[in-house]
Amino acid sequence: MGGCFSDVRGGKQAVGVGLTGPSMPPMPTSDATLNDAVDHLFRARGLHQLFTQLELSLSGSRLRDRDIISKSDPMVVVYTKKRDGTLEELGRTEVIMNSLDPAWIKKITVAYHFEIVQPLIFHVYDVDTKYYNLPVKTLKLNDQEFLGEGGCVLSEVNMTKQGQSLTLDLHNRNGNRGLKNLGKLTVHAEETVASRNAIEVIFHCSRLENKDLFSKSDPFLRISRIVENGGSVPICKTEVVDNNLNPIWRPLCLTMQQFVSKKSVADLEKLHKQKTGASFILPSSAQHGHEKVLKGQLFVDQFCEKQLYSFIDYVSSGFELNFMVAVDFTASNGNPRTPDSLHYIDASGQFNAYQQVIMEVGEVIQFYDSDRRFPAWGFGGRIIDGTISHCFNLNGSASCVEVEGVQGIMAAYASALNHVALAGPTLFGQVINNAAKIAGQSLSYSSCKYFVLLIITDGVLTDLQETKDALVRASDLPLSILIVGAGGADFKQMEILDADDGCRLESSTGRVATRDIVQFVPMREVRGGQTSVVQALLQELPGQFLTYMRSRDTKPSAVNIAQTSASHAAI
């Protein structure tokens, strides 16, 4: 089932939803559930997780309208209620613009434990339009209009048959039912079954109806799956093609898990083979009572089956994540000898911000690095010869950039604070170029290495465009860059580099990044919250890794895949 829409605000500007890549299915990103990397870590240590992963699909009806000129722009935040009554956020949907009957595409992944009562709380918000360009994870909920709350126990959502759902009445916070008719929220749950079978399709349309007054429509395609009760669940959408009644969209990669029905796949393949188009239909309404066939048609330009491998498949067959780190030595960090400095090393052993991030991130990623020798740099400091360097070896060596293990990084960092004077300005370009050089050189002897550069900084970038240029060049390489903002500086530039709004970085020459390789997290927004720095930083890493491997058609070892599949089946 598909639908073609022309609505820039509802398509291009929907907050928090975008393509994860031209050949990537949507990746679950719930902070409160285990991703493949964490799951593999537990399995490697003999700790088998006894749970089933579920995906929650959400839709609303007759929501409250809090906007004056238009309709509400709703988003759902899903929580689990802990034993002490506190709420732990599981995830957020995208924002659907201008709709009181939304069907959200973003799925919320939750680990279902049969033996535990798992209360779920759903908060629906009307997001202010001034926030429409921001990633949903950064939205402050106190700044949004509250539309209603619903709750249930996870086991209440009937999963005995596909297509069964639970509809909740929305009410005020904490069960207060002072206002009636706050609308309804429908929760649809399905078990996530790992499937490597997928299809890559390219769609185009012809002769779409023009919905714009002064230009042509800006269409996007939304694909939904019909479920057993006759309703539909959105599974993905394309990008928006501006000002075009005959649009061609970028390739979509859809798993069999998303389709479920083999007939739907066969119908697409038939359209491709016969080179025929499918007509769009305007559903029947209460006034007219019959469907209207529109003149626009949908065509399948490409249809090919492929195998998609998981993060576990790759790391189990010998692929490695090689860790690198770069530390900010600019003067804005403050005098390292005073307690108010971000670089102050407490004699009691309490970590400063830089030490905390190095330890927490390093301890996770080192598990995937066989030799545990890590390149470590500093930038923005005045080194021994009196010059300001924007990429110097953290261990003080003129020739060797690597240190032994995470403790080696910690020791090199502490030593550098005694020999390097803080200076400035804040420049990322040289560090990124050096990391990219190492990643590029690895391609000549191994396709099984992927590099992760951690940059910890406190300041505002001076070389924003140079950094963009370096990132665009690096987007073709096996490299991801994690940036942590320490302190209270304005980090808006870092959010631009993160490109979570779906707009890929563009270089000074007009070249667009092949993929998003940056994840930025400000420490002040995760400290004291339910999400750790590591969770926030690493949630996109498996997806970035898979995007690169799939774009190069790099496959893991077939022997190890079989062993991994067997172990999963046995658990």
Side-chain angles (χ1 to χ4, degrees):
M1 177 181 180
C4 190
F5 302 85
S6 177
D7 178 1
V8 172
R9 295 186 68 214
K12 181 185 295 184
Q13 307 294 4
V15 181
V17 160
L19 296 178
T20 53
S23 299
M24 279 286 290
M27 296 291 295
T29 57
S30 170
D31 291 339
T33 57
L34 295 176
N35 63 21
D36 276 351
V38 178
D39 187 35
H40 181 67
L41 178 63
F42 275 103
R43 292 178 191 279
R45 295 179 178 178
L47 304 174
H48 302 311
Q49 300 299 293
L50 301 178
F51 62 86
T52 299
Q53 290 280 19
L54 301 179
E55 279 188 346
L56 304 182
S57 301
L58 303 171
S59 60
S61 60
R62 301 196 301 276
L63 300 182
R64 293 171 66 192
D65 191 357
R66 301 300 297 268
D67 293 356
I68 298 175
I69 301 176
S70 60
K71 298 178 182 178
S72 295
D73 307 314
M75 171 188 76
V76 182
V77 184
V78 183
Y79 302 90
T80 182
K81 182 180 285 188
K82 301 169 74 173
R83 289 185 177 182
D84 61 3
T86 59
L87 299 182
E88 179 177 348
E89 184 174 322
L90 295 179
R92 304 180 181 190
T93 67
E94 78 277 18
V95 177
I96 300 293
M97 308 296 284
N98 199 32
S99 176
L100 302 183
D101 301 286
W104 290 276
I105 295 176
K106 169 71 185 298
K107 312 301 182 211
I108 306 299
T109 306
V110 57
Y112 169 65
H113 298 260
F114 173 77
E115 73 281 8
I116 299 175
V117 176
Q118 296 172 268
L120 298 178
I121 302 295
F122 304 87
H123 287 177
V124 185
Y125 291 90
D126 174 21
V127 175
D128 194 301
T129 53
K130 68 182 178 181
Y131 299 108
Y132 74 89
N133 269 332
L134 296 178
V136 292
K137 67 182 180 182
T138 67
L139 296 180
K140 295 182 179 179
L141 299 180
N142 290 337
D143 294 338
Q144 318 307 326
E145 291 270 9
F146 184 75
L147 295 182
E149 174 184 296
C152 67
V153 174
L154 184 56
S155 56
E156 286 184 272
V157 185
N158 192 332
M159 295 168 294
T160 58
K161 292 184 179 180
Q162 290 180 355
Q164 298 236 349
S165 305
L166 178 68
T167 298
L168 308 173
D169 290 318
L170 297 176
H171 51 76
N172 286 327
R173 294 180 192 269
N174 303 320
N176 184 348
R177 300 181 184 271
L179 281 177
K180 298 182 179 180
N181 300 321
L182 298 189
K184 296 181 182 295
L185 183 72
T186 298
V187 185
H188 178 88
E190 290 182 346
E191 182 178 355
T192 60
V193 181
S195 173
R196 296 191 183 92
N197 296 322
I199 60 167
E200 184 173 278
V201 290
I202 296 179
F203 292 106
H204 93 263
C205 284
S206 67
R207 301 188 303 154
L208 293 178
E209 185 176 347
N210 192 13
K211 296 291 187 179
D212 292 357
L213 186 60
F214 299 109
S215 62
K216 295 179 182 178
S217 297
D218 308 305
F220 67 96
L221 189 70
R222 187 177 73 182
I223 301 173
S224 300
R225 182 179 71 244
I226 301 296
V227 293
E228 194 168 292
N229 63 3
S232 62
V233 174
I235 57 176
C236 71
K237 74 177 184 67
T238 66
E239 78 280 8
V240 174
V241 177
D242 292 333
N243 197 34
N244 197 325
L245 300 182
N246 301 283
I248 301 175
W249 289 283
R250 291 199 297 261
L252 284 176
C253 194
L254 303 170
T255 66
M256 294 303 297
Q257 176 187 333
Q258 291 173 289
F259 273 105
V260 177
S261 168
K262 292 184 178 180
K263 181 181 183 301
S264 300
V265 178
D267 289 343
L268 287 178
E269 186 175 18
K270 182 178 179 181
L271 286 176
H272 176 250
K273 286 182 177 179
Q274 296 182 352
K275 306 297 181 185
T276 56
S279 297
F280 285 105
I281 296 174
L282 190 66
S284 60
S285 62
Q287 291 84 1
H288 299 93
H290 62 276
E291 295 179 337
K292 178 183 177 182
V293 179
L294 305 177
K295 66 179 182 179
Q297 286 193 310
L298 176 70
F299 294 84
V300 179
D301 291 347
Q302 175 181 304
F303 180 97
C304 61
E305 297 185 24
K306 57 167 52 181
Q307 293 276 302
L308 294 182
Y309 301 101
S310 70
F311 181 79
I312 292 177
D313 292 333
Y314 285 95
V315 297
S316 297
S317 63
F319 282 70
E320 294 192 356
L321 300 180
N322 296 118
F323 186 44
M324 302 182 279
V325 67
V327 177
D328 186 335
F329 277 76
T330 57
S332 54
N333 284 280
N335 186 344
R337 292 169 179 76
T338 61
D340 60 348
S341 170
L342 293 171
H343 280 311
Y344 179 71
I345 295 182
D346 196 320
S348 69
Q350 181 176 350
F351 287 160
N352 64 32
Y354 287 85
Q355 291 172 310
Q356 178 187 344
V357 175
I358 291 170
M359 282 296 295
E360 291 186 3
V361 177
E363 284 188 335
V364 173
I365 297 182
Q366 72 173 354
F367 178 73
Y368 304 100
D369 193 325
S370 59
D371 67 5
R372 300 193 181 181
R373 293 181 58 84
F374 309 132
W377 297 287
F379 59 92
R382 191 181 301 276
I383 56 178
I384 294 177
D385 64 6
T387 61
I388 296 176
S389 173
H390 300 293
C391 187
F392 57 88
N393 294 344
L394 199 61
N395 59 9
S397 170
S399 57
C400 181
V401 66
E402 293 183 333
V403 297
E404 293 278 355
V406 176
Q407 289 299 333
I409 300 174
M410 296 286 279
Y413 164 66
S415 176
L417 288 175
N418 295 320
H419 301 97
V420 177
L422 305 191
T426 304
L427 307 178
F428 283 1
Q430 290 187 31
V431 166
I432 294 173
N433 287 335
N434 276 6
K437 182 179 179 181
I438 293 174
Q441 289 173 342
S442 73
L443 296 176
S444 63
Y445 61 87
S446 174
S447 61
C448 297
K449 290 183 177 293
Y450 192 88
F451 294 82
V452 180
L453 170 63
L454 170 66
I455 300 176
I456 316 171
T457 183
D458 85 311
V460 178
L461 273 178
T462 306
D463 65 338
L464 180 59
Q465 188 56 58
E466 290 82 359
T467 298
K468 286 184 179 180
D469 291 345
L471 290 173
V472 170
R473 289 192 298 270
S475 67
D476 288 326
L477 298 171
L479 175 66
S480 285
I481 298 173
L482 312 176
I483 304 175
V484 176
D490 182 354
F491 291 118
K492 288 182 180 178
Q493 290 177 325
M494 305 302 176
E495 293 168 358
I496 295 173
L497 300 181
D498 197 336
D500 271 349
D501 60 359
C503 297
R504 295 185 188 177
L505 294 178
E506 186 173 325
S507 73
S508 54
T509 61
R511 181 189 170 195
V512 178
T514 306
R515 60 193 179 95
D516 175 24
I517 64 171
V518 176
Q519 172 73 349
F520 168 70
V521 173
M523 283 195 72
R524 63 171 177 260
E525 292 188 11
V526 293
R527 273 186 165 171
Q530 296 290 345
T531 303
S532 72
V533 176
V534 174
Q535 283 179 308
L537 268 180
L538 299 185
Q539 64 180 355
E540 292 184 12
L541 184 56
Q544 292 177 356
F545 173 92
L546 290 173
T547 300
Y548 176 80
M549 295 300 169
R550 291 168 180 171
S551 69
R552 297 298 186 276
D553 199 26
T554 302
K555 297 180 175 62
S557 163
V559 174
N560 282 283
I561 292 173
Q563 291 174 347
T564 303
S565 300
S567 66
H568 286 187
I571 293 174

Coordinates of all heavy atoms in Angstrom, one line a residue, residues 424-452:
G424 N 44.8 28.0 21.5 CA 43.7 28.1 20.6 C 44.1 28.6 19.3 O 45.3 28.8 19.0
P425 N 43.1 28.8 18.4 CA 41.7 28.6 18.5 C 41.3 27.1 18.3 O 42.1 26.2 18.3 CB 41.1 29.4 17.3 CG 42.2 29.3 16.3 CD 43.5 29.3 17.0
T426 N 39.9 26.9 18.3 CA 39.4 25.5 18.2 C 39.3 25.2 16.7 O 38.4 25.7 16.0 CB 38.0 25.4 18.9 OG1 38.2 25.8 20.2 CG2 37.5 24.0 18.8
L427 N 40.1 24.3 16.2 CA 40.1 23.8 14.8 C 40.0 22.3 14.8 O 40.8 21.6 15.5 CB 41.4 24.3 14.1 CG 41.7 25.8 14.1 CD1 43.0 26.0 13.4 CD2 40.6 26.6 13.5
F428 N 39.1 21.7 14.0 CA 38.9 20.3 13.9 C 39.6 19.7 12.6 O 39.8 18.5 12.5 CB 37.4 19.9 13.9 CG 36.7 19.9 15.2 CD1 37.4 20.3 16.4 CD2 35.4 19.6 15.3 CE1 36.8 20.3 17.6 CE2 34.7 19.6 16.5 CZ 35.4 20.0 17.6
G429 N 39.8 20.6 11.6 CA 40.2 20.1 10.3 C 41.3 19.2 10.3 O 41.3 18.1 9.7
Q430 N 42.5 19.5 11.0 CA 43.7 18.7 10.9 C 43.5 17.3 11.6 O 43.9 16.3 11.1 CB 44.8 19.4 11.5 CG 45.3 20.6 10.7 CD 46.6 21.2 11.3 OE1 47.4 20.5 11.9 NE2 46.8 22.5 11.2
V431 N 42.8 17.3 12.7 CA 42.5 16.1 13.4 C 41.7 15.1 12.5 O 42.0 13.9 12.4 CB 41.8 16.4 14.7 CG1 41.2 15.1 15.3 CG2 42.8 17.0 15.7
I432 N 40.6 15.7 11.9 CA 39.7 14.9 11.1 C 40.5 14.3 9.9 O 40.4 13.2 9.5 CB 38.5 15.6 10.6 CG1 37.6 15.9 11.9 CG2 37.7 14.9 9.6 CD1 36.5 16.9 11.6
N433 N 41.4 15.2 9.3 CA 42.1 14.8 8.1 C 43.1 13.7 8.5 O 43.3 12.7 7.7 CB 42.9 16.0 7.5 CG 42.0 16.9 6.8 OD1 40.9 16.5 6.3 ND2 42.4 18.2 6.7
N434 N 43.7 13.7 9.7 CA 44.7 12.7 10.1 C 43.9 11.4 10.3 O 44.4 10.3 10.0 CB 45.4 13.1 11.4 CG 46.6 14.0 11.1 OD1 46.9 14.3 9.9 ND2 47.4 14.3 12.1
A435 N 42.8 11.5 11.0 CA 42.0 10.2 11.2 C 41.5 9.6 9.8 O 41.6 8.4 9.6 CB 40.7 10.6 12.0
A436 N 41.1 10.5 8.9 CA 40.7 10.0 7.6 C 41.9 9.4 6.8 O 41.7 8.4 6.1 CB 40.1 11.2 6.8
K437 N 43.1 9.9 7.0 CA 44.2 9.4 6.4 C 44.5 7.9 6.8 O 44.7 7.0 6.0 CB 45.5 10.2 6.6 CG 46.7 9.7 6.0 CD 47.9 10.7 6.3 CE 49.2 10.2 5.6 NZ 50.3 11.1 5.9
I438 N 44.4 7.7 8.2 CA 44.5 6.4 8.7 C 43.5 5.4 8.2 O 43.7 4.3 7.8 CB 44.5 6.4 10.2 CG1 45.8 7.1 10.8 CG2 44.5 5.0 10.8 CD1 45.8 7.4 12.3
A439 N 42.2 5.9 8.2 CA 41.1 5.1 7.7 C 41.3 4.8 6.2 O 41.0 3.6 5.7 CB 39.8 5.8 7.9
G440 N 41.7 5.8 5.4 CA 41.9 5.5 4.0 C 43.1 4.6 3.7 O 42.9 3.7 2.8
Q441 N 44.1 4.7 4.5 CA 45.3 3.7 4.3 C 44.9 2.3 4.6 O 45.4 1.4 4.0 CB 46.4 4.2 5.1 CG 47.1 5.5 4.7 CD 48.2 6.0 5.6 OE1 48.2 5.6 6.8 NE2 49.1 6.8 5.2
S442 N 43.9 2.1 5.5 CA 43.6 0.7 5.9 C 42.9 0.0 4.7 O 42.9 -1.2 4.6 CB 42.6 0.8 7.0 OG 41.3 1.2 6.6
L443 N 42.3 0.7 3.7 CA 41.6 0.1 2.6 C 42.6 -0.7 1.7 O 42.2 -1.6 1.0 CB 40.9 1.1 1.8 CG 39.7 1.9 2.5 CD1 39.2 3.0 1.6 CD2 38.7 0.9 3.0
S444 N 43.9 -0.3 1.8 CA 44.9 -1.0 0.9 C 45.2 -2.4 1.4 O 45.7 -3.2 0.7 CB 46.1 -0.2 0.8 OG 46.8 0.0 2.1
Y445 N 44.9 -2.7 2.7 CA 45.3 -4.0 3.3 C 44.2 -4.7 4.0 O 44.3 -5.9 4.3 CB 46.5 -3.8 4.2 CG 46.3 -3.0 5.4 CD1 45.7 -3.5 6.6 CD2 46.6 -1.6 5.4 CE1 45.5 -2.7 7.7 CE2 46.4 -0.8 6.5 CZ 45.8 -1.3 7.6 OH 45.6 -0.5 8.7
S446 N 43.0 -4.0 4.2 CA 41.9 -4.7 4.9 C 40.6 -4.0 4.7 O 40.6 -2.7 4.7 CB 42.2 -4.7 6.4 OG 41.1 -5.3 7.1
S447 N 39.6 -4.7 4.4 CA 38.2 -4.2 4.3 C 37.4 -4.5 5.6 O 36.2 -4.3 5.6 CB 37.5 -4.8 3.1 OG 37.4 -6.2 3.3
C448 N 38.1 -5.0 6.6 CA 37.4 -5.4 7.8 C 37.6 -4.5 9.0 O 37.4 -4.8 10.2 CB 37.9 -6.8 8.3 SG 37.6 -8.1 7.1
K449 N 38.1 -3.3 8.7 CA 38.3 -2.3 9.8 C 37.4 -1.1 9.6 O 37.3 -0.6 8.5 CB 39.8 -1.8 9.8 CG 40.8 -2.9 10.3 CD 42.2 -2.4 10.3 CE 43.2 -3.4 10.9 NZ 42.9 -3.7 12.3
Y450 N 36.9 -0.6 10.7 CA 36.1 0.6 10.7 C 36.6 1.4 11.8 O 36.8 0.9 12.9 CB 34.6 0.3 10.9 CG 33.7 1.4 10.6 CD1 33.2 1.7 9.3 CD2 33.3 2.3 11.7 CE1 32.4 2.8 9.1 CE2 32.4 3.4 11.4 CZ 32.0 3.6 10.1 OH 31.2 4.7 9.9
F451 N 36.7 2.7 11.6 CA 37.4 3.6 12.6 C 36.4 4.6 13.2 O 35.5 5.0 12.6 CB 38.5 4.4 11.9 CG 39.6 3.5 11.4 CD1 39.5 2.9 10.2 CD2 40.8 3.3 12.2 CE1 40.6 2.0 9.7 CE2 41.8 2.5 11.7 CZ 41.7 1.9 10.5
V452 N 36.6 4.8 14.5 CA 35.8 5.7 15.3 C 36.6 6.7 16.0 O 37.5 6.4 16.9 CB 35.0 4.9 16.4 CG1 34.1 5.8 17.2 CG2 34.2 3.8 15.7

